Amino acid sequence: MVSTVYAITLTCIGLIIAVFYFVIVNSKEAEADYQSVTKKWYGFRSKWFLFLITLGITITFLSLNPFPLPDQKKEYSSSEYQVVTVDGHQWYWNIAPVTIKAGQPVEFQVSAADVNHGFGIYDENLKLVAQTQAMPGYTNKLIHTFDKPGKFKILCLEYCGLAHHAMISELTVE
Amino acid sequence: MSAAETSGKIEYSDSVNRNALIAVKAHLIAGLLVFLLMMLGGLTMRAAQGTWLEIGADLFYQIMTVHGVGVVGAAVIASTGVQWYFLRQYVRLSNGIFWTNFIIFLTGVVMILGSIFVGKYGGAWTFLYPLPAISMGAWSNGAAALFQLGVLIIGVGLLILYLDFGRAILARYGSLARALGLTQLFGKEPVDYKHPAAVVASTMVLIVNFLGIAAGAVVLVMGLINLYYPEFKPDALLMKNLIYFFGHVIINATIYASVIAVYELLPRFTGRPWKTNKPFYAAWFAIVFMVMGVYPHHLMMDFPMPSWALIAAQILSFGSGIPVMVVTGYGALMIVYRSGIKWSTTAKLLVLSMFGWGAGVVPAILDAMITVNRTFHNTLWVPGHFHFYLLIGLLPMIIGFTYYLTGEGDSKEETKTVDNLGFYAYLIGAFMTSMVFLASGANSIPRRWAAHLPEWVGYAQVGTVAASLVVIGMLFFIVRALVSLPGASNPR
C-alpha cells in the first residue's frame, strides 16, 4: 500500500512537471490568435474534467468498500479476538498484555489518561502497520491481525509534550 | 446594472492611494521577514533531527510551535496584503481598517512570541486540547493563556477586516451571491467576462474565514476557560473538530486569497485576458463548501468520528483538487502556452506557484483517503504535502506579487543574475524539502519528533541541506524586497 501510494505520487508529480515543461518550452513563440488556443484547450478541458470525475468516483467506490475502519459499536467476542488495552500517559504507554499471538485478530482498546496521544504500531523494519488516536474520554477500537511473529514498536504519533518522541514501547508477537 | 458598473475600477485620491501602497508593502515585508525567520526555525529543526545540531527537546518544541504559528501568521498577513491590494480596486475599502488589522496582528505576534520564548509554551500551534493545560511543568497556564489570547486577538483583527470586506462587497454588488458570480452562473444575469476574479475569490475567502475564525474563537475561549477552571472539561473530540476546522480553513484560505495575484498579473505578462465565466464561478462556488467540508480528513484516525463525516471528507478532498486542476492551474497554462511571455522573475514565480499548487494536490488527496491515512497520518508525509503547497504554491504567489510591486515584471531589462540565483536556489531547495518529507513519510517517519531514530537520520540530513537552499533563496528575495520595494511606485 505505502509503496503504491508513493509510486502514484511520484508518477503524477512527474507528469505535472512534464506538462509544465511542455508549456514553458512552447511559451516563447507567440500565437497571435488566442481564440484558437482557447477553443482547442477548452474542448480538451471538458474531457479532462470528466476523466477526473470518473477517476474520483471509481477510487471512492473501491477504497470505501468495505469501509476501512473497524466498527466502533460492535462488541468483538473474546473467543475470536485477543484483547489488548492501551492507555497513553505523558510519556509512557500502559499496554496489557504485551505479548500476543500471530494469526488471531487483536482488538486494541486505546485510550488516553491525560492528553491526546497517537498509538502507532511499527514492525521490525520500522514501517507503520496500524494506528489510531488515543484520546482522553474515548476508547478507540483498533483491529489488527499480525501475520508473523516479531518484536513490534509502539510509537506516539500525536504530539503530547516535551518527551513525545521518547514514548516508545514494545509489543511481542509470538 | 451594466457590465461596466460591476467590473469598473474604484477611484481614490492620490494621498489615499499612496497610504494604501505603503500599507500593502508593510504587510508584504512583515510577512516575508516572518517567513524567513520561520524557515531558519525549520532549518534548525531539520539539523537537530539530522544530529548536526544539538538542542534540547524543550527548545525544539518551542521552535516547532513558533514555526507553525509563525508560518500561518505570515501566510495570513502577506496574503491579506495581496488580496486587499487587488480587491480595493473593485470595492471601496478603508485604509484605516487595513492598518488596524495590521497593528492588532503585530500585537498578537508579540504576545505569541512572549508566550513561547519567555513563557516556554511549546504546545504546538494547534493548541490541541487539553495539552496547553497539561504540560507536566514545562510551561505555565499563563504562558498557554498568552499564546491562545495572541491567536484570539489576531482572529479578532481579521474579523474586523472581513467586516469591511463584506460591507464594501455588499455596497457594490448587493449580495455575496452576486459577488461570487452566482447570478451569472444560474442564468439570472448575462455572463460578464470582466467580473473581477479578485471579487469572486475575496468573497469566498470572506465567507470561509469568517466561519473558520468564529469556530477558532469558540475553541480558544473554551480552552482559556479550561486553563483557569479545570473542572470545565469540554469534549476532546469536539475540541479537535473545532481546532482543525479553524486551522484548516485559515491556512487553506491564504492560497485562495493569494491566487488573485496570478489572475490579475499573468494576463499582463502574456497580453491575454483571464476571463471569468461559468466554469470559473462554479469552481469557486464549490470551493466555498469544499474548503470548509474537508477538515475531517485530519480526524480519520479518530475512530469515533461519524463515518459519514470521514467519507464526505475523503470525497470533498478529492473534489477540492479539481478546481485547481481544471480551472486555475489549467487556465494559467493556457494563458502561457504560445503567448510570447517574457520570463521575468515575477512571471516565473507566478507560474511556479501554479505547479506547486497542482502537484501538491496529489499527496494531499491521497492522504485524505481513509485507507491510505491509516499508514500516512501524522507521518512526515503530512508536512510533505503542505510544504509543497506553501513553499512552492503560496510563497511564489506572494514573492511574485512583491516582485511585481518592485516593477520587475514590467521591466525591459534582462533578469538580474541575483534574481536568477535566488529563484533557482529557492526552487531546488523547496522542491527537495517537500520531496524529502514525502520520502520520509513513505518510510513511516513520524512528524513532530525532536529526536529521530538512527534509521531516520539520513533523511533529516538531506532535508537540512534542502532547507539551507530554501533559506539562501529566500535571503535573495528578502534583500531584493527590502532594497527595491520601499521606494517603488505603484506599477501601472
Side-chain angles (χ1 to χ4, degrees):
Chain A
M1 161 67 85
V2 172
S3 53
T4 312
V5 169
Y6 191 39
I8 292 172
T9 304
L10 294 182
T11 309
C12 291
I13 291 175
L15 286 173
I16 295 171
I17 290 174
V19 170
F20 271 79
Y21 180 77
F22 172 78
V23 170
I24 289 165
V25 295
N26 283 291
S27 65
K28 285 189 182 151
E29 258 179 61
E31 186 165 312
D33 183 15
Y34 183 45
Q35 269 198 333
S36 66
V37 174
T38 52
K39 199 178 164 194
K40 180 177 171 190
W41 292 104
Y42 273 149
F44 180 76
R45 181 161 83 166
S46 310
K47 292 180 190 128
W48 172 230
F49 176 63
L50 278 178
F51 167 75
L52 289 176
I53 292 286
T54 315
L55 181 72
I57 292 170
T58 313
I59 291 175
T60 303
F61 186 77
L62 292 177
S63 67
L64 292 174
N65 274 310
F67 189 65
L69 300 181
D71 185 349
Q72 298 297 298
K73 291 191 183 113
K74 185 175 161 182
E75 292 295 328
Y76 295 91
S77 79
S78 54
S79 59
E80 214 180 319
Y81 292 85
Q82 308 175 73
V83 176
V84 176
T85 58
V86 179
D87 248 326
H89 295 253
Q90 282 169 316
W91 291 285
Y92 60 93
W93 295 103
N94 261 348
I95 302 173
V98 289
T99 304
I100 46 172
K101 284 181 290 192
Q104 188 187 353
V106 184
E107 180 200 358
F108 291 98
Q109 297 175 350
V110 183
S111 190
D114 35 45
V115 300
N116 287 275
H117 300 276
F119 176 70
I121 307 172
Y122 280 70
D123 69 12
E124 287 172 335
N125 299 316
L126 279 179
K127 295 287 177 290
L128 178 59
V129 295
Q131 66 167 312
T132 187
Q133 288 275 298
M135 250 187 305
Y138 285 86
T139 301
N140 292 8
K141 297 175 183 172
L142 170 68
I143 306 296
H144 185 74
T145 307
F146 295 86
D147 299 328
K148 289 182 211 155
K151 295 247 184 241
F152 286 76
K153 277 197 166 71
I154 306 302
L155 269 52
C156 186
L157 287 182
E158 186 63 73
Y159 177 62
C160 58
L162 295 198
H164 160 59
H165 57 280
M167 237 178 112
I168 301 176
S169 197
E170 216 171 60
L171 189 71
T172 305
V173 180
E174 291 176 340
Chain B
M1 201 179 278
S2 71
E5 282 172 274
T6 61
S7 55
K9 295 207 172 179
I10 301 280
E11 295 288 333
Y12 297 89
S13 70
D14 285 347
S15 64
V16 171
N17 276 334
R18 269 198 303 278
N19 179 271
L21 189 61
I22 294 168
V24 170
K25 290 174 180 175
H27 278 66
L28 291 172
I29 289 173
L32 291 177
L33 285 173
V34 177
F35 270 125
L36 175 67
L37 291 174
M38 295 310 124
M39 286 167 180
L40 287 168
L43 171 63
T44 307
M45 285 190 284
R46 290 307 261 156
Q49 290 170 336
T51 66
W52 284 342
L53 182 72
E54 211 169 302
I55 56 172
D58 52 346
L59 181 58
F60 181 95
Y61 290 123
Q62 285 160 26
I63 293 173
M64 184 188 84
T65 302
V66 81
H67 181 79
V69 76
V71 166
V72 174
V76 167
I77 207 67
S79 66
T80 303
V82 177
Q83 179 185 15
W84 190 84
Y85 175 87
F86 290 110
L87 183 62
R88 74 183 289 275
Q89 298 177 15
Y90 305 103
V91 300
R92 189 171 294 282
L93 294 178
S94 153
N95 287 13
I97 290 180
F98 191 48
W99 277 116
T100 303
N101 174 52
F102 188 65
I103 304 294
I104 293 177
F105 173 81
L106 293 181
T107 312
V109 169
V110 171
M111 290 166 73
I112 289 170
L113 288 176
S115 76
I116 296 173
F117 292 115
V118 181
K120 310 274 184 210
Y121 173 75
W125 93 271
T126 44
F127 51 90
L128 195 58
Y129 169 84
L131 181 59
I134 308 176
S135 70
M136 302 285 276
W139 59 83
S140 63
N141 267 1
L146 190 60
F147 180 87
Q148 297 190 57
L149 278 170
V151 177
L152 187 62
I153 201 173
I154 288 174
V156 170
L158 283 167
L159 284 182
I160 295 170
L161 182 69
Y162 290 141
L163 279 175
D164 191 46
F165 282 15
R167 176 205 54 74
I169 289 170
L170 290 176
R172 176 140 201 196
Y173 295 98
S175 71
L176 295 180
R178 190 154 180 264
L180 266 177
L182 299 187
T183 47
Q184 298 175 48
L185 176 65
F186 296 117
K188 291 188 178 160
E189 280 183 294
V191 173
D192 170 11
Y193 295 110
K194 290 185 177 168
H195 183 58
V199 170
V200 177
S202 294
T203 308
M204 172 265 161
V205 170
L206 161 70
I207 295 169
V208 301
N209 261 355
F210 210 92
L211 295 171
I213 293 169
V218 168
V219 74
L220 283 162
V221 170
M222 288 209 286
L224 283 164
I225 296 173
N226 169 260
L227 282 174
Y228 291 101
Y229 298 96
E231 58 273 26
F232 170 72
K233 283 190 188 348
D235 182 275
L237 189 56
L238 169 70
M239 296 293 271
K240 252 188 191 176
N241 272 269
L242 287 166
I243 287 170
Y244 284 114
F245 177 71
F246 158 69
H248 183 90
V249 164
I250 198 159
I251 190 62
N252 227 227
T254 60
I255 205 161
Y256 291 104
S258 302
V259 74
I260 297 171
V262 179
Y263 291 142
E264 289 274 349
L265 300 181
L266 267 191
R268 297 186 196 204
F269 302 143
T270 57
R272 292 171 168 179
W274 196 309
K275 290 179 180 171
T276 44
N277 51 24
K278 285 193 175 184
F280 184 89
Y281 300 137
W284 279 90
F285 185 41
I287 289 166
V288 171
F289 299 99
M290 291 192 295
V291 165
M292 292 192 290
V294 298
Y295 85 89
H297 68 210
H298 297 276
L299 301 168
M300 286 174 166
M301 291 302 106
D302 289 292
F303 295 169
M305 280 291 286
S307 48
W308 61 263
L310 303 185
I311 293 170
Q314 174 173 327
I315 294 170
L316 291 175
S317 299
F318 185 91
S320 64
I322 292 180
V324 65
M325 290 290 200
V326 175
V327 177
T328 301
Y330 194 96
L333 288 175
M334 240 170 51
I335 276 192
V336 170
Y337 180 68
R338 292 196 180 163
S339 63
I341 186 173
K342 179 177 168 286
W343 284 105
S344 60
T345 304
T346 312
K348 281 184 203 164
L349 284 162
L350 295 176
V351 172
L352 175 65
S353 76
M354 292 289 96
F355 165 72
W357 196 2
V361 160
V362 180
I365 59 176
L366 282 166
D367 185 36
M369 289 168 65
I370 301 167
T371 190
V372 173
N373 197 258
R374 292 183 303 173
T375 41
F376 283 78
H377 181 66
N378 278 351
T379 67
L380 284 174
W381 188 268
V382 184
H385 98 256
F386 65 67
H387 278 82
F388 231 113
Y389 276 149
L390 297 178
L391 280 178
I392 319 179
L394 176 76
L395 259 162
M397 290 174 191
I398 293 167
I399 302 166
F401 173 69
T402 308
Y403 262 66
Y404 162 75
L405 276 192
T406 66
E408 195 269 350
D410 294 325
S411 165
K412 299 279 180 279
E413 293 167 25
E414 283 302 305
T415 307
K416 290 184 179 143
T417 313
V418 282
D419 289 334
N420 270 333
L421 275 174
F423 178 80
Y424 289 106
Y426 184 86
L427 169 64
I428 295 165
F431 186 71
M432 258 176 78
T433 298
S434 310
M435 294 309 287
V436 173
F437 274 138
L438 290 179
S440 308
N443 282 285
S444 303
I445 304 176
R447 67 186 294 204
R448 293 179 167 153
W449 271 45
H452 275 192
L453 298 180
E455 292 86 342
W456 302 333
V457 166
Y459 291 95
Q461 290 176 343
V462 181
T464 310
V465 175
S468 311
L469 278 173
V470 173
V471 169
I472 292 170
M474 191 67 181
L475 275 172
F476 279 105
F477 292 146
I478 292 272
V479 169
R480 182 75 145 102
L482 290 178
V483 170
S484 307
L485 196 56
S489 54
N490 202 5
R492 294 288 162 198

